[in-house]
Structures are given as structure tokens and as C-alpha cells.
Amino acid sequence: MQQPWAWAIVHGGKDVENRTQAWSYRGPLAIHAGSRISQRGVESPLIDAAFHRRPHEVPLSDIRGCEALGAIIGVVDMVDAHWCYGDPEDVGCCKPWGEVEYVEHGGRTRRDVVHLVLENPRPLAEPIPARGRLGLWTPEDALLAQIREQVPA
């Protein structure tokens, strides 16, 4: 996922990831910070609040506070996934991180959202450079071994 969303999951208390497809998988997820930065994330008041609850030397507008790009930065447990329907102003079960709809292409297309419920974030001591892929993917054995060295199962 793009930064600073990946940072927020591992370090900032983001316990819901919003997606447009339901996953049957439950269990540990390696959090991969992609090589792109989300402007929506940089401008998010939730990210800003999470970032400033932590002792940092740089403002969120200087993305170096979320410096890892193209790397695995932590592991979380995915414990649930459910569709969220309703009023965009009242997300209900998954406030404040859950969203009700996904708006793409400048607001022309709206899609329903699935909340991936995340628990037990475990940051890596050092980011592990890795190429990501879209969607849910299984890391190769060598990458899994590197992750396990830093975060025991």
C-alpha cells in the first residue's frame, strides 16, 4: 500500500484497511509500503493526528517521517473482513479509519468498501526492501525468512 497509509497501520493505530474486494484470508499480513506516496494520505487529518501523537522531528508534509518505500515495514494480524454499507457520514463499526465508499476517477465512479480489520501491529526493526504487487500476495520463501527473523510468528 502507499505511504503514509502503510506507516499508519504499523505505527499510527490504523486498524482498518479499506478495500473494494472481500478477502477470505485471516492471519498475519506483511505490510508492504509501495514506491508511491498517496497525496490523499499526506492530506488526511487522521494520518496527521496519528503522526503527531508520536515523537517525530519532521512534519508530516516532509514525507521522510514515513521514509520506507518499496519495503516490508511490519506485520499485522487480519482478523476480519466485512462489507460496509451506509451513509458516508456515519461509518459505524469501524470509525475513524473505515470508509463507506471508494471514490475513484475524480468522483465519477463509486464502489462499495470492505473493511479489513487489523490487530497486533509489529513493526520491523529495519525495513526489508521488496517489490510489491497489487492485491493480496504471498512473499517468496527468502523474503518470508527475512520477515520471520525480525518478527517471530
Side-chain angles (χ1 to χ4, degrees):
M1 62 195 58
Q2 296 176 351
Q3 287 285 34
W5 302 112
W7 173 88
I9 288 172
V10 176
H11 298 284
K14 185 175 189 285
D15 57 0
V16 172
E17 173 62 11
N18 300 287
R19 294 290 165 152
T20 57
Q21 107 183 63
W23 295 351
S24 59
Y25 175 80
R26 302 294 182 273
L29 284 177
I31 300 300
H32 179 267
S35 59
R36 292 185 7 179
I37 296 168
S38 165
Q39 189 60 37
R40 187 165 89 73
V42 169
E43 296 169 356
S44 167
L46 290 172
I47 295 279
D48 188 59
F51 192 83
H52 288 99
R53 280 194 301 266
R54 306 262 183 234
H56 291 285
E57 298 174 6
V58 296
L60 181 60
S61 59
D62 184 346
I63 200 66
R64 283 175 291 156
C66 304
E67 71 279 354
L69 296 172
I72 303 293
I73 63 168
V75 176
V76 296
D77 296 322
M78 188 173 124
V79 298
D80 190 25
H82 57 267
W83 288 97
C84 182
Y85 304 102
D87 180 349
E89 300 302 316
D90 180 20
V91 182
C93 65
C94 293
K95 286 181 180 179
W97 296 100
E99 297 175 359
V100 173
E101 61 185 6
Y102 177 78
V103 180
E104 53 187 20
H105 306 299
R108 294 188 305 265
T109 305
R110 296 178 184 277
R111 297 171 66 184
D112 292 330
V113 171
V114 173
H115 292 168
L116 306 181
V117 181
L118 310 172
E119 292 181 353
N120 193 22
R122 299 168 311 275
L124 300 184
E126 294 291 327
I128 301 170
R131 246 186 113 140
R133 296 182 198 95
L134 293 177
L136 186 63
W137 52 277
T138 302
E140 295 80 21
D141 290 342
L143 181 55
L144 279 173
Q146 287 182 284
I147 294 167
R148 287 184 179 128
E149 284 177 17
Q150 293 195 48
V151 179

